[in-house]
Amino acid sequence: EAGVAQSPRYKIIEKRQSVAFWCNPISGHATLYWYQQILGQGPKLLIQFQNNGVVDDSQLPKDRFSAERLKGVDSTLKIQPAKLEDSAVYLCASSLDQGYPYEQYFGPGTRLTVT
Amino acid sequence: AQKITQTQPGMFVQEKEAVTLDCTYDTSDQSYGLFWYKQPSSGEMIFLIYQGSYDEQNATEGRYSLNFQKARKSANLVISASQLGDSAMYFCAMSGPGKTSYDKVIFGPGTSLSVIP
């Protein structure tokens, strides 16, 4: 079974530029999560989708971050414009059903550096 | 509000020895889940073990066991017979009721474990 795919793996941009990350979850997984992990900290949930609907985006900085999950499969996370404090690893995860978060499967992450 | 505390920023253990990684949590919910993830230097989060708040027995998965003490609100991870490949960051996490049950997972700050040959 293929795991969660993410691209790109690394991205370096200047502040005020925009960037987009892509995630393809495990086939059949209804729930998709985007996390932000700042160096030395645990992951912080940014947004959670159930199929193509948003379940939780309370910690998403909506003035600059946006995410979509068209057709309930893959998802993109965008930052526009980027700030220095957005430097982090962005992790995508998926799970089979919303009621089983302990079975979240994570992708390798995208390491973003904002200069 | 829910909170996870991991008081050990870094731990060392001799190969083949057992090690306990501490985790305490704070929640006012009656129903919640606790689990541990491992994050090697490659960056990918790997699920290790899960404990439901109503589970009477401590969870075990191979060399991993979760020492769940509900009254103390602690969920320590015990790794038996440590291996060099166990060197990684370890995160304690909790899920709890939100818009639906068992959503919104929060993670602790993590503990870095180094296994010494």
Side-chain angles (χ1 to χ4, degrees), chain B residues 20-74:
Chain B
T20 298
L21 305 183
D22 295 341
C23 171
T24 58
Y25 60 92
D26 189 20
T27 181
S28 56
D29 298 325
Q30 295 301 311
S31 179
Y32 51 89
L34 295 156
F35 35 98
W36 282 86
Y37 279 87
K38 172 184 178 181
Q39 188 175 43
S41 57
S42 60
E44 194 161 339
M45 298 283 282
I46 302 167
F47 165 73
L48 295 178
I49 196 167
Y50 168 80
Q51 178 88 38
S53 59
Y54 289 111
D55 293 341
E56 294 184 354
Q57 289 191 329
N58 287 342
T60 60
E61 288 287 347
R63 295 186 298 112
Y64 305 107
S65 61
L66 199 153
N67 184 2
F68 180 46
Q69 298 187 45
K70 194 170 183 177
R72 293 186 175 185
K73 293 189 175 178
S74 73

Side-chain angles (χ1 to χ4, degrees), chain A residues 30-34 47-57 67-75 98, chain B residues 99:
Chain A
T31 311
L32 185 147
Y33 314 78
W34 282 104
I47 190 167
Q48 178 179 341
F49 293 94
Q50 178 73 8
N51 296 309
N52 60 350
V54 175
V55 172
D56 190 320
D57 62 357
E68 60 181 9
R69 189 184 185 196
L70 299 176
K71 300 180 182 179
V73 182
D74 54 354
S75 174
Q98 192 174 10
Chain B
K99 292 182 181 180

Side-chain angles (χ1 to χ4, degrees), chain A residues 37 55 58 101-102 104 106, chain B residues 39 44 47 50 99 102 104:
Chain A
Q37 186 176 21
V55 172
S58 58
Y102 49 87
Q104 287 188 44
F106 283 80
Chain B
Q39 188 175 43
E44 194 161 339
F47 165 73
Y50 168 80
K99 292 182 181 180
Y102 285 110
K104 191 158 186 177

